[in-house]
Amino acid sequence: MIQERTLPTFNTASVKISKEEGLILYQDMVLGRMFEDKCAEMYYRGRMFGFVHLYNGQEAISTGIIKALRPDEDYVCSTYRDHVHALSAGVPAKEVMAELFGKATGCSKGRGGSMHMFSSQHKLLGGYAFVAEGIPVSTGAAFQAKYRREVMNDPNADQVSVCFFGDGASNNGQFFECLNMAALWKLPMIYVVENNKWAIGMAHERATSQPEIYKKASVFNMAGVEVDGMDVLAVRSVAQEAIARARAGEGPTLIEALTYRFRGHSLADPDELRSPDEKQFWGSRDPISRLAVYLVEHDLATQDELKEIDLKIKTEIEDAVKFAEESPEPAPSELHRFVFAEDE
């Protein structure tokens, strides 16, 4: 096992969270986990095709960041591991599942599949199959918000743009070019590196001369933060600070969330490169279990309430599968629709 980085500590005593907020975080993470587990089941049963990259283990990042945003107002840009980002952004589970089944009722009308989730309504700017491809798209969204506010004098244009990407993307040119631009223009932008230690089968430490990605922010005179990506409360706290900074016109933030995917790179990956010790180390830090313990210990929830949420989500996922299976295939006559922007 490659030597582990020392995970940053977080003082939970500093957390100010209501019961309602805590249960929202728990429910969102459980939704992400159960949805991905069902995806694996459907894939191995031959109901989904192509590459499917699951998010198991990383739920605290999606929930902690996106649930701190203004729903349907702030922008979210994802990667090819995008199902859970879509769910956290508010895209209904049935629409995400239908997209994975390639059905016309999917959030991308069956055209995108696993790696290209998109929802204009929920300000989800897309999942992207190419590494780092979403970074310039989300930076552009941040620029237009700033332009509308400062040039077009739109007082309501204070939206924040968030881009998620993996550790491997931090070595791509788009990363450096866009961080430089965002810093120069003080764009309302948050770059979130989901450092799960592995870029497909390449260990992060072998691929970069500076493994501590958050330190690269200093080159651009930008705020850089390291956070335990397996602790949703820590991620939420960091996100709230970055969002406030962006909305106040103080510029972008680079957040490096240290995390781990519990499954292989994709469902076609036998996952033979990672050691059992490494998997055990990170498996013991399951973000959902950690939040459940916190909520119970701080009298924000009972075990029965958490079980009730689990059952509710299980039913929602089963309904999503039923919806996807019963939905129509895209009509062959519409093969050329949605290639370019057009009216419905």
Side-chain angles (χ1 to χ4, degrees):
M1 182 172 73
I2 296 174
Q3 183 176 1
E4 298 289 355
R5 276 170 60 176
T6 301
L7 292 169
T9 57
F10 177 71
N11 180 14
T12 57
S14 65
V15 174
K16 295 181 180 179
I17 188 169
S18 67
K19 177 172 183 172
E20 180 184 7
E21 291 170 330
L23 293 180
I24 287 173
L25 298 180
Y26 179 80
Q27 178 170 303
D28 192 60
M29 287 201 291
V30 170
L31 173 62
R33 177 69 58 84
M34 288 191 177
F35 187 94
E36 297 294 68
D37 286 344
K38 181 59 71 172
C39 285
E41 178 189 334
M42 294 294 104
Y43 180 88
Y44 291 129
R45 287 175 54 186
R47 303 296 292 134
M48 295 177 189
F49 305 95
F51 285 105
V52 178
H53 307 80
L54 301 187
Y55 200 75
N56 297 55
Q58 302 182 197
E59 296 90 353
I61 305 174
S62 179
T63 297
I65 300 283
I66 297 176
K67 289 305 180 184
L69 298 171
R70 291 178 186 165
D72 301 337
E73 288 189 33
D74 293 324
Y75 299 96
V76 174
C77 210
S78 186
T79 66
Y80 47 71
R81 203 179 302 278
D82 57 351
H83 315 161
V84 177
H85 293 150
L87 294 170
S88 292
V91 183
K94 64 180 183 179
E95 293 184 15
V96 180
M97 189 66 76
E99 187 60 38
L100 286 160
F101 276 59
K103 298 299 184 71
T105 55
C107 59
S108 298
K109 304 184 187 303
R111 269 82 166 169
S114 175
M115 295 188 282
H116 299 284
M117 299 288 169
F118 176 85
S119 176
S120 176
Q121 174 187 350
H122 301 290
K123 298 297 187 291
L124 178 68
L125 300 179
Y128 294 88
F130 287 104
V131 174
E133 189 178 15
I135 299 178
V137 173
S138 57
T139 303
F143 173 77
Q144 64 82 28
K146 182 180 178 70
Y147 186 89
R148 285 192 295 115
R149 185 175 182 84
E150 297 185 359
V151 178
M152 302 180 70
N153 298 315
D154 182 353
N156 297 317
D158 65 343
Q159 292 82 13
V160 173
S161 183
V162 176
C163 183
F164 296 90
F165 51 94
D167 44 280
S170 67
N171 295 320
N172 285 38
Q174 297 101 311
F175 173 83
F176 298 97
E177 293 169 7
C178 290
L179 263 68
N180 183 59
M181 179 185 294
L184 282 172
W185 294 345
K186 291 189 179 299
L187 299 184
M189 185 71 221
I190 302 173
Y191 299 100
V192 184
V193 186
E194 298 181 307
N195 185 354
N196 61 25
K197 293 171 59 63
W198 293 87
I200 307 181
M202 172 62 72
H204 172 61
E205 289 80 359
R206 295 180 57 198
T208 181
S209 57
Q210 171 50 285
E212 296 176 294
I213 301 171
Y214 75 101
K215 291 184 177 180
K216 295 180 180 181
S218 63
V219 177
F220 306 103
N221 196 28
M222 179 188 302
V225 185
E226 178 189 39
V227 66
D228 181 354
M230 307 298 275
D231 183 344
V232 68
L233 298 178
V235 175
R236 175 177 175 267
S237 177
V238 165
Q240 289 173 330
E241 293 178 7
I243 292 167
R245 185 183 302 120
R247 253 190 254 286
E250 297 173 4
T253 302
L254 173 63
I255 298 173
E256 181 184 6
L258 303 179
T259 187
Y260 200 72
R261 50 176 166 80
F262 290 167
R263 293 180 178 267
H265 172 69
S266 74
L267 287 177
D269 174 15
D271 196 22
E272 297 171 342
L273 296 174
R274 304 186 301 173
S275 73
D277 289 344
E278 180 178 284
K279 294 177 185 178
Q280 183 178 8
F281 172 84
W282 287 94
S284 66
R285 304 184 64 81
D286 188 310
I288 298 176
S289 299
R290 291 177 72 180
L291 179 62
V293 170
Y294 176 88
L295 293 176
V296 173
E297 289 183 347
H298 289 76
D299 296 323
L300 295 173
T302 64
Q303 291 288 358
D304 287 341
E305 287 175 313
L306 299 182
K307 289 178 182 178
E308 185 178 341
I309 289 175
D310 294 346
L311 291 173
K312 173 187 172 184
I313 297 301
K314 183 178 180 180
T315 299
E316 183 177 350
I317 300 301
E318 295 296 340
D319 289 345
V321 171
K322 186 174 185 292
F323 174 83
E325 289 179 330
E326 295 177 351
S327 291
E329 302 278 350
S333 61
E334 294 195 338
L335 177 64
H336 299 292
R337 286 198 70 193
F338 309 115
V339 176
F340 301 102
E342 59 182 73
D343 294 329
E344 283 288 343

